[in-house]
Amino acid sequence: MFHGNSDSQKMKNVDSKSHVRGESVYLDDVPLLEGTLFACVYDSPIAHGKLKSVDISEAEKSKGVVKIITAKDLIGENQIGGILPDEPLLADGEVHFCGMPIALVLAETEAQAHAAAKLITAEIEPLEIITDEREAQAKGKLIAPPKHFKLGDSDKAFATCEHVFEGRADVNGQEHLYIETQGAYTIPSEQGGMKIYSSTQGPTAVQRAVSRVTGIPMNLLEVDVTRLGGGFGGKEDQANAWAALCAVGTQLTKKPVKYALHRMEDMRMTGKRHPYSADYKIGLDKDFRIIAYSATFYQNAGAACDLSLPVLERTLFHCTNSYFIPNVSATAYSCKTNLPPNTAFRGFGGPQGMFVIESAIAHAAEKLNVSASEIQRKNLIENGDEFPYGQIAESEAITSWKQADEKYDFAKLKAEADEFNANNKFIKKGVALMPICFGISFTKTPMNQARSLVHVYTDGSVAISTGAVEMGQGVNTKIAQVAAKVFSQPIGRVKVHTTNTLRIANTSPTAASAAADLNGRATQIACETILERLKTVAEEMLKDGAYRIESSEISEMRHTQKDGVTFENGFVFFNGEPTSLDWLLVVNEAYNQRVSLSEHAHYATQGINFDWSIAKGHPFAYHVYGTAIVGVTVDCQRGIYEVDYVKCCHDFGSSMNAAVDNGQIEGGIVQGIGWMTMEEIFYDKNGRLRSNALSTYKIPDIYSVPKEIEILPLQTERENLAIFNSKAVGEPPLMYGIATYFAIRKAVKAFNQENLPKFDAPFTPEKVLINLYGKIGM
Ligand code: MTE
Ligand code: MOS
């Protein structure tokens, strides 16, 4: 439990001041050394083909060009695939997607590099282009064999069901649109080593990729990350390529090399959230209990594995969302297409799985003429129920639903919408509910480890390094809070420093919402270890009554522990009594006695496991639950809509920083709404990205955020494995946004009862308009 005072719980992000002053340091703010070269990629104009030849002769003559690098120039391995070795850094022999890097231009200025890249040409013999995941699966183009989850016996169970519905649901991808584009800056160091500044969620992943393509051992490669202007999963794996390209440039020229992608380069060359197509079958008994569910997922992986397989697995983990279904059979195909490799994106495949079951429930509800929320409510997972992957639920699903209902009164909100619809012909309202359940931990168990390095200096200040990367989510604030609390020091005395592979090795990427849990816990262990040493030193100092004081204003201060030495508000207490010792005196005495004021601590989540051979285990440290109700208004003449409100009851456990956590919820919800409504990635049949700029790809702006977002913290006494019981919050709230899709659908149905729109997200205004006046049918 976090017992910090209420000020620290509402404490602002430690970066807020430097952010608003424009003083926060990003990759582009790293001062450049003299002689720095600028990189630009020549990328494939064709989605699939045999790369016959590359002509760099014109480009080489171009002004300022120092070197042009192609696959044959690499000293190490031409491979950056982290999970499967299927992703060359530079195309060699074949191109697999539009935007695949073919050559790297190094020039004296950025403009010269870009100009020269335009002069490169390639002879490419076209091969068949596949952009559709179902077509890829039908043609046997898979990243790996399909994965399968099974609970009970769904085939048998369907036969006993009163109602069975089958259908198809499609959900598109999503562009990360981090404000800071991808990029890296590499600087040569001694013995052929390198310092690498990278905008990455995974400093170690960058270090490994650079080591592989250059052949330089990892101990000569220092990766340093101050913070990211957003990652959202897009820099978990996909930062590697740009760092590797810069590193190759530095290796071959012995010069610093910088590459920060232009927005359109970033959109064209990087992967996105995976689009999915799915077939579902849902079976209910006469009381609308879901007895059986089966689903087949077709994931559009793009041209290489990247993180597609773990993303695919999380689709399966979350394919029943927060419902208990006794008979489940789910199969998932990762389909290889000629698109840029798709990758992690907030929710990591979970949201796609949830969209499909919510579609199945909406389908059943529409055919049975009941409210989807009735089916949702009846099937919420209870304590002790089993997830299809074997873990037993410690469920807050019903609690969060009930607490939300008590606060927001679902029936009243729905009645208001019904009444409005009865009185308005061309404007309709829709309301939908979305329970969520998201597992916290990397599903690859070995990744659930972290380290923290803590130094206390003789002026009493504290410096911390961890494996966590700050990307706006506030992890550094939480880590600083951990140290401030353990040391009972003001947060201003604590500085969380850059993420650096020389200070912290073998980091897991900052992902899976687990960074604060893993790195915060490691920090807690490190701080507690130092504190124990300081207590011993203080105890010695207090022997024979030295430093004891009778009374003073210090004694008025809060001191709760009665045993031995405690630090409170920077002062030392002994058996609950005040002393004249303080933090600074004890720290300096420890130094004089040659007691270490530094600690490097390791944390690994206990009790988690997963056995893929049977697809069962206990993969998650815990789950995050919540329930949201979303209301929308659709303009039935224009097809446009507004989100009136999102009201949720969210399971924070016990939030250690309400300001940061509420920010994550609001941001997640808006990003989820964007995915479900307006963000439409469009590749043409030739695999060319048409939504390739902010003029053709619409993301939520201030006018499209809900008019109201209400957040009610779930009341619960349950303990969990999170840092100070403060559950992970980074990804789960995005999934509340899924309700927006179903709320719009209800409003459309209120206008055009004949029509049952296809389940096909995003529900763009164009699609809304078509469905308002069409008869499409599922
Ligand atoms: N919030 C901001 N502001 N920027 C981001 O890039 N990434 C999200 C989420 N919230 C992100 C964010 C994603 S995808 C994840 S996995 C988590 O933050 C990672 O950070 P955490 O583990 O500290 O929650
Ligand atoms: Mo988040 S998709 O796990 O980086």
Side-chain angles (χ1 to χ4, degrees):
M1 210 56 79
F2 191 76
H3 295 299
N5 59 36
S6 57
D7 282 354
S8 66
Q9 283 176 49
K10 290 199 189 104
M11 212 196 62
K12 281 192 182 144
N13 189 312
V14 290
D15 285 341
S16 48
K17 267 196 189 140
S18 64
H19 279 357
V20 294
R21 289 175 175 159
E23 291 168 357
S24 296
V25 171
Y26 298 87
L27 176 78
D28 231 20
D29 300 306
V30 176
L32 298 183
L33 295 176
E34 210 181 313
T36 292
L37 301 177
F38 295 85
C40 182
V41 151
Y42 166 70
D43 58 294
S44 178
I46 284 176
H48 195 197
K50 277 210 170 98
L51 182 59
K52 296 280 203 185
S53 62
V54 186
D55 183 357
I56 58 171
S57 56
E58 286 303 309
E60 270 179 327
K61 287 184 245 160
S62 183
K63 193 167 177 238
V65 169
V66 173
K67 193 168 181 70
I68 296 177
I69 296 164
T70 57
K72 65 177 180 354
D73 301 314
L74 299 189
I75 290 173
E77 197 187 340
N78 183 18
Q79 186 52 249
I80 56 165
I83 291 175
L84 295 181
D86 64 351
E87 196 178 352
L89 177 66
L90 289 166
D92 191 9
E94 244 190 58
V95 292
H96 305 291
F97 62 92
C98 270
M100 183 173 186
I102 293 176
L104 181 73
V105 179
L106 302 175
E108 279 158 15
T109 71
E110 203 178 337
Q112 288 167 347
H114 279 267
K118 290 203 176 77
L119 301 175
I120 298 179
T121 55
E123 196 194 331
I124 301 170
E125 187 186 304
L127 292 170
E128 185 195 30
I129 295 166
I130 299 176
T131 59
D132 179 79
E133 54 275 14
R134 287 188 189 245
E135 186 187 344
Q137 192 267 349
K139 290 183 169 157
K141 299 209 178 298
L142 297 178
I143 297 285
K147 301 257 174 186
H148 194 66
F149 271 24
K150 188 174 156 58
L151 181 69
D153 186 339
S154 56
D155 283 344
K156 258 197 204 148
F158 277 119
T160 71
C161 288
E162 183 86 12
H163 313 284
V164 176
F165 304 99
E166 282 180 71
R168 166 175 169 159
D170 289 273
V171 56
N172 205 343
Q174 186 173 22
E175 177 63 55
H176 297 88
L177 249 302
Y178 21 65
I179 295 177
E180 181 194 32
T181 55
Q182 304 268 4
Y185 181 38
T186 51
I187 299 171
S189 58
E190 283 187 349
Q191 296 178 9
M194 240 176 258
K195 177 156 184 175
I196 302 150
Y197 294 98
S198 165
S199 181
T200 179
Q201 293 172 239
T204 297
V206 162
Q207 192 189 16
R208 273 196 210 110
V210 169
S211 174
R212 196 167 181 185
V213 299
T214 59
I216 300 169
M218 285 170 79
N219 66 346
L220 294 181
L221 298 171
E222 172 184 6
V223 181
D224 192 86
V225 186
T226 302
R227 65 167 66 66
L228 315 186
F232 304 110
K235 296 171 183 170
E236 184 178 339
D237 213 50
Q238 302 222 339
N240 298 0
W242 321 107
L245 287 167
C246 290
V248 164
T250 290
Q251 184 180 34
L252 296 176
T253 62
K254 309 269 185 274
K255 300 243 182 196
V257 173
K258 164 104 184 259
Y259 194 11
L261 271 61
H262 286 186
R263 178 65 65 191
M264 285 176 80
E265 288 183 291
D266 190 306
M267 292 178 84
R268 183 174 78 237
M269 296 196 279
T270 68
K272 304 159 199 329
R273 184 191 289 285
H274 294 83
Y276 275 69
S277 184
D279 297 316
Y280 60 78
K281 185 172 174 187
I282 188 167
L284 302 90
D285 69 9
K286 62 180 189 344
D287 302 321
F288 304 140
R289 281 194 174 266
I290 306 171
I291 302 301
Y293 180 63
S294 74
T296 306
F297 296 96
Y298 302 92
Q299 176 202 54
N300 193 327
C305 176
D306 191 274
L307 293 167
S308 294
L309 295 177
V311 167
L312 188 82
E313 288 161 16
R314 207 175 256 277
T315 302
L316 290 175
F317 280 113
H318 296 312
C319 73
T320 55
N321 191 9
S322 42
Y323 308 110
F324 171 66
I325 304 175
N327 301 285
V328 177
S329 165
T331 302
Y333 295 92
S334 183
C335 312
K336 193 166 176 165
T337 60
N338 298 111
L339 300 180
N342 287 315
T343 194
F345 196 135
R346 208 170 193 170
F348 208 77
Q352 291 96 319
M354 292 185 192
F355 178 76
V356 176
I357 186 143
E358 293 302 329
S359 296
I361 289 173
H363 182 159
E366 285 165 12
K367 295 284 186 191
L368 295 168
N369 215 8
V370 297
S371 165
S373 63
E374 192 179 332
I375 300 176
Q376 290 172 315
R377 172 69 186 84
K378 280 219 169 104
N379 292 284
L380 291 174
I381 194 159
E382 293 187 39
N383 248 345
D385 283 342
E386 187 181 339
F387 286 103
Y389 45 91
Q391 184 157 340
I392 302 302
E394 288 189 72
S395 181
E396 307 279 17
I398 295 172
T399 329
S400 77
W401 183 286
K402 278 191 182 153
Q403 290 181 14
D405 196 8
E406 259 163 43
K407 170 96 196 269
Y408 306 128
D409 196 344
F410 300 159
K412 189 174 124 239
L413 291 170
K414 284 189 204 159
E416 278 170 13
D418 290 343
E419 200 196 318
F420 182 95
N421 290 346
N423 295 317
N424 288 277
K425 188 155 185 226
F426 288 109
I427 302 178
K428 297 290 181 189
K429 287 192 184 284
V431 175
L433 275 134
M434 182 71 197
I436 61 159
C437 166
F438 195 75
I440 302 300
S441 287
F442 289 98
T443 53
K444 189 174 170 197
T445 303
M447 291 174 78
N448 295 287
Q449 53 168 310
R451 279 151 297 278
S452 174
L453 176 65
V454 177
H455 299 309
V456 177
Y457 293 92
T458 51
D459 66 352
S461 64
V462 179
I464 302 179
S465 301
T466 74
V469 170
E470 176 61 46
M471 44 189 181
Q473 86 281 39
V475 68
N476 281 359
T477 304
K478 289 185 173 178
I479 286 169
Q481 277 182 276
V482 170
K485 175 173 149 38
V486 174
F487 289 149
S488 129
Q489 285 293 302
I491 197 138
R493 273 235 164 126
V494 181
K495 169 70 182 163
V496 180
H497 283 271
T498 64
T499 317
N500 184 295
T501 54
L502 295 186
R503 270 176 269 128
I504 302 293
N506 308 320
T507 61
S508 290
T510 289
S513 305
D517 279 2
L518 297 171
N519 297 279
R521 282 238 168 179
T523 302
Q524 186 185 3
I525 295 168
C527 293
E528 281 170 353
T529 307
I530 295 172
L531 187 72
E532 280 312 307
R533 291 184 206 133
L534 291 175
K535 282 183 180 174
T536 309
V537 170
E539 222 159 296
E540 277 298 311
M541 293 170 85
L542 289 168
K543 266 202 182 138
D544 312 321
Y547 299 101
R548 302 285 175 82
I549 49 172
E550 283 311 307
S551 86
S552 73
E553 67 267 31
I554 306 168
S555 62
E556 308 300 318
M557 291 185 166
R558 203 174 62 90
H559 46 94
T560 45
Q561 279 189 320
K562 296 287 176 218
D563 299 332
V565 170
T566 51
F567 285 81
E568 285 175 41
N569 294 312
F571 293 99
V572 174
F573 290 74
F574 189 74
N575 289 342
E577 297 298 320
T579 75
S580 63
L581 275 186
D582 64 11
W583 171 255
L584 199 58
L585 282 169
V586 179
V587 163
N588 278 281
E589 183 60 20
Y591 172 76
N592 287 332
Q593 288 186 18
R594 296 181 285 172
V595 170
S596 170
L597 291 169
S598 298
E599 186 67 14
H600 180 264
H602 170 83
Y603 173 74
T605 315
Q606 296 303 300
I608 48 172
N609 60 75
F610 199 73
D611 180 352
W612 268 110
S613 69
I614 49 171
K616 298 278 177 204
H618 186 103
F620 299 119
Y622 56 87
H623 290 83
V624 171
Y625 293 88
T627 303
I629 182 160
V630 175
V632 303
T633 304
V634 175
D635 173 338
C636 301
Q637 283 168 309
R638 295 176 184 81
I640 57 176
Y641 41 74
E642 281 183 349
V643 181
D644 300 323
Y645 58 80
V646 176
K647 298 165 189 278
C648 65
C649 173
H650 186 80
D651 170 22
F652 293 97
S654 153
S655 173
M656 67 185 283
N657 190 320
V660 164
D661 285 355
N662 287 341
Q664 284 293 292
I665 295 205
E666 290 174 2
I669 285 173
V670 172
Q671 206 165 32
I673 291 173
W675 175 49
M676 282 287 114
T677 63
M678 67 190 77
E679 296 186 42
E680 192 173 35
I681 289 176
F682 183 73
Y683 287 98
D684 65 21
K685 283 205 165 52
N686 293 320
R688 277 213 199 190
L689 183 67
R690 294 305 187 178
S691 51
N692 64 349
L694 282 162
S695 53
T696 44
Y697 185 78
K698 173 114 183 72
I699 57 160
D701 57 16
I702 194 66
Y703 301 105
S704 40
V705 303
K707 285 189 224 133
E708 193 187 344
I709 294 182
E710 254 192 278
I711 303 164
L712 173 72
L714 176 88
Q715 297 302 311
T716 175
E717 292 298 307
R718 209 193 296 270
E719 298 273 315
N720 59 58
L721 283 174
I723 175 78
F724 297 144
N725 253 14
S726 179
K727 283 187 174 181
V729 71
E731 294 166 284
L734 180 134
M735 288 152 258
Y736 292 137
I738 295 174
T740 317
Y741 182 94
F742 294 95
I744 294 174
R745 188 176 168 92
K746 282 198 184 140
V748 168
K749 251 201 107 202
F751 182 79
N752 178 357
Q753 272 137 28
E754 309 285 283
N755 188 34
L756 287 176
K758 285 186 206 164
F759 293 103
D760 179 17
F763 223 149
T764 57
E766 290 85 343
K767 283 193 210 161
V768 170
L769 200 59
I770 291 167
N771 279 291
L772 284 165
Y773 295 96
K775 270 193 194 163
I776 290 177
M778 286 187 293

mmCIF file of all heavy atoms in Angstrom, residues 201 231-234 236 344-348 442 471 510-513 731, ligand 2:
data_model
loop_
_atom_site.group_PDB
_atom_site.id
_atom_site.type_symbol
_atom_site.label_atom_id
_atom_site.label_comp_id
_atom_site.label_asym_id
_atom_site.label_seq_id
_atom_site.Cartn_x
_atom_site.Cartn_y
_atom_site.Cartn_z
ATOM 1 N N GLN A 201 12.292 2.113 -26.877
ATOM 2 C CA GLN A 201 11.746 1.548 -25.645
ATOM 3 C C GLN A 201 12.628 0.400 -25.154
ATOM 4 O O GLN A 201 12.467 -0.052 -24.030
ATOM 5 C CB GLN A 201 10.338 1.001 -25.887
ATOM 6 C CG GLN A 201 9.297 2.064 -26.197
ATOM 7 C CD GLN A 201 7.962 1.473 -26.610
ATOM 8 O OE1 GLN A 201 7.484 1.737 -27.694
ATOM 9 N NE2 GLN A 201 7.342 0.662 -25.768
ATOM 10 N N GLY A 231 6.139 6.398 -27.494
ATOM 11 C CA GLY A 231 6.566 5.147 -28.115
ATOM 12 C C GLY A 231 5.347 4.317 -28.492
ATOM 13 O O GLY A 231 5.210 3.860 -29.612
ATOM 14 N N PHE A 232 4.485 4.093 -27.508
ATOM 15 C CA PHE A 232 3.211 3.370 -27.680
ATOM 16 C C PHE A 232 3.411 1.975 -28.269
ATOM 17 O O PHE A 232 2.509 1.438 -28.898
ATOM 18 C CB PHE A 232 2.230 4.190 -28.535
ATOM 19 C CG PHE A 232 1.985 5.571 -27.977
ATOM 20 C CD1 PHE A 232 2.463 6.699 -28.625
ATOM 21 C CD2 PHE A 232 1.315 5.725 -26.778
ATOM 22 C CE1 PHE A 232 2.264 7.970 -28.092
ATOM 23 C CE2 PHE A 232 1.110 6.988 -26.237
ATOM 24 C CZ PHE A 232 1.578 8.118 -26.893
ATOM 25 N N GLY A 233 4.584 1.413 -28.080
ATOM 26 C CA GLY A 233 4.869 0.092 -28.631
ATOM 27 C C GLY A 233 5.666 0.170 -29.922
ATOM 28 O O GLY A 233 6.380 -0.755 -30.286
ATOM 29 N N GLY A 234 5.567 1.302 -30.611
ATOM 30 C CA GLY A 234 6.224 1.437 -31.911
ATOM 31 C C GLY A 234 7.736 1.488 -31.841
ATOM 32 O O GLY A 234 8.413 1.328 -32.860
ATOM 33 N N GLU A 236 9.360 -0.431 -29.428
ATOM 34 C CA GLU A 236 9.802 -1.587 -28.635
ATOM 35 C C GLU A 236 10.831 -2.372 -29.437
ATOM 36 O O GLU A 236 11.839 -2.812 -28.909
ATOM 37 C CB GLU A 236 8.601 -2.463 -28.253
ATOM 38 C CG GLU A 236 9.005 -3.612 -27.344
ATOM 39 C CD GLU A 236 7.864 -4.487 -26.885
ATOM 40 O OE1 GLU A 236 6.693 -4.041 -26.916
ATOM 41 O OE2 GLU A 236 8.139 -5.634 -26.488
ATOM 42 N N ALA A 344 4.282 -4.020 -31.943
ATOM 43 C CA ALA A 344 3.592 -3.726 -30.685
ATOM 44 C C ALA A 344 2.831 -2.412 -30.790
ATOM 45 O O ALA A 344 3.300 -1.460 -31.406
ATOM 46 C CB ALA A 344 4.614 -3.628 -29.553
ATOM 47 N N PHE A 345 1.673 -2.380 -30.183
ATOM 48 C CA PHE A 345 0.933 -1.127 -30.016
ATOM 49 C C PHE A 345 0.030 -1.302 -28.808
ATOM 50 O O PHE A 345 -0.763 -2.242 -28.760
ATOM 51 C CB PHE A 345 0.111 -0.793 -31.265
ATOM 52 C CG PHE A 345 -0.360 0.646 -31.322
ATOM 53 C CD1 PHE A 345 -0.250 1.383 -32.495
ATOM 54 C CD2 PHE A 345 -0.899 1.274 -30.211
ATOM 55 C CE1 PHE A 345 -0.666 2.706 -32.554
ATOM 56 C CE2 PHE A 345 -1.305 2.595 -30.256
ATOM 57 C CZ PHE A 345 -1.207 3.322 -31.421
ATOM 58 N N ARG A 346 0.181 -0.408 -27.862
ATOM 59 C CA ARG A 346 -0.632 -0.337 -26.637
ATOM 60 C C ARG A 346 -1.769 -1.370 -26.603
ATOM 61 O O ARG A 346 -2.766 -1.235 -27.313
ATOM 62 C CB ARG A 346 -1.198 1.072 -26.508
ATOM 63 C CG ARG A 346 -1.475 1.511 -25.089
ATOM 64 C CD ARG A 346 -1.797 2.977 -25.061
ATOM 65 N NE ARG A 346 -1.775 3.518 -23.721
ATOM 66 C CZ ARG A 346 -1.847 4.825 -23.456
ATOM 67 N NH1 ARG A 346 -1.937 5.691 -24.435
ATOM 68 N NH2 ARG A 346 -1.826 5.257 -22.215
ATOM 69 N N GLY A 347 -1.570 -2.380 -25.809
ATOM 70 C CA GLY A 347 -2.545 -3.472 -25.717
ATOM 71 C C GLY A 347 -2.027 -4.757 -26.337
ATOM 72 O O GLY A 347 -2.450 -5.842 -25.992
ATOM 73 N N PHE A 348 -1.087 -4.596 -27.303
ATOM 74 C CA PHE A 348 -0.271 -5.721 -27.801
ATOM 75 C C PHE A 348 -1.116 -6.899 -28.280
ATOM 76 O O PHE A 348 -0.892 -8.040 -27.888
ATOM 77 C CB PHE A 348 0.663 -6.147 -26.652
ATOM 78 C CG PHE A 348 1.968 -6.770 -27.075
ATOM 79 C CD1 PHE A 348 3.011 -5.990 -27.538
ATOM 80 C CD2 PHE A 348 2.171 -8.143 -26.978
ATOM 81 C CE1 PHE A 348 4.227 -6.567 -27.898
ATOM 82 C CE2 PHE A 348 3.384 -8.731 -27.339
ATOM 83 C CZ PHE A 348 4.410 -7.931 -27.798
ATOM 84 N N PHE A 442 5.065 -9.662 -18.889
ATOM 85 C CA PHE A 442 5.408 -10.130 -20.227
ATOM 86 C C PHE A 442 4.971 -11.588 -20.283
ATOM 87 O O PHE A 442 5.243 -12.347 -19.356
ATOM 88 C CB PHE A 442 6.919 -10.056 -20.459
ATOM 89 C CG PHE A 442 7.448 -8.654 -20.591
ATOM 90 C CD1 PHE A 442 8.029 -8.007 -19.509
ATOM 91 C CD2 PHE A 442 7.384 -7.988 -21.808
ATOM 92 C CE1 PHE A 442 8.530 -6.720 -19.640
ATOM 93 C CE2 PHE A 442 7.887 -6.698 -21.937
ATOM 94 C CZ PHE A 442 8.467 -6.064 -20.859
ATOM 95 N N MET A 471 8.646 7.608 -21.407
ATOM 96 C CA MET A 471 8.118 8.015 -22.730
ATOM 97 C C MET A 471 6.841 8.815 -22.571
ATOM 98 O O MET A 471 5.975 8.807 -23.450
ATOM 99 C CB MET A 471 7.932 6.807 -23.640
ATOM 100 C CG MET A 471 7.296 5.607 -23.013
ATOM 101 S SD MET A 471 7.424 4.227 -24.164
ATOM 102 C CE MET A 471 6.594 2.952 -23.259
ATOM 103 N N THR A 510 10.737 -1.318 -22.170
ATOM 104 C CA THR A 510 9.668 -0.689 -21.388
ATOM 105 C C THR A 510 8.383 -0.933 -22.151
ATOM 106 O O THR A 510 8.111 -0.290 -23.168
ATOM 107 C CB THR A 510 9.969 0.793 -21.178
ATOM 108 O OG1 THR A 510 11.065 0.842 -20.263
ATOM 109 C CG2 THR A 510 8.786 1.531 -20.570
ATOM 110 N N ALA A 511 7.654 -1.914 -21.693
ATOM 111 C CA ALA A 511 6.502 -2.408 -22.433
ATOM 112 C C ALA A 511 5.660 -3.256 -21.492
ATOM 113 O O ALA A 511 6.025 -3.423 -20.327
ATOM 114 C CB ALA A 511 6.954 -3.246 -23.631
ATOM 115 N N ALA A 512 4.547 -3.768 -22.038
ATOM 116 C CA ALA A 512 3.652 -4.638 -21.270
ATOM 117 C C ALA A 512 3.140 -3.945 -20.004
ATOM 118 O O ALA A 512 2.716 -4.610 -19.057
ATOM 119 C CB ALA A 512 4.341 -5.968 -20.928
ATOM 120 N N SER A 513 3.204 -2.630 -19.994
ATOM 121 C CA SER A 513 2.737 -1.823 -18.849
ATOM 122 C C SER A 513 3.480 -2.145 -17.560
ATOM 123 O O SER A 513 3.063 -1.715 -16.488
ATOM 124 C CB SER A 513 1.227 -1.995 -18.607
ATOM 125 O OG SER A 513 0.505 -1.713 -19.771
ATOM 126 N N GLU A 731 -1.531 0.343 -20.513
ATOM 127 C CA GLU A 731 -2.286 -0.135 -21.667
ATOM 128 C C GLU A 731 -3.792 -0.330 -21.440
ATOM 129 O O GLU A 731 -4.596 -0.014 -22.325
ATOM 130 C CB GLU A 731 -1.690 -1.464 -22.170
ATOM 131 C CG GLU A 731 -0.289 -1.326 -22.720
ATOM 132 C CD GLU A 731 0.376 -2.677 -22.883
ATOM 133 O OE1 GLU A 731 0.805 -3.266 -21.867
ATOM 134 O OE2 GLU A 731 0.448 -3.151 -24.030
HETATM 135 MO MO1 MOS B 2 3.463 -1.395 -25.047
HETATM 136 S S1 MOS B 2 2.510 -2.084 -26.712
HETATM 137 O O1 MOS B 2 3.725 -3.030 -24.453
HETATM 138 O O2 MOS B 2 5.001 -0.970 -25.689
#
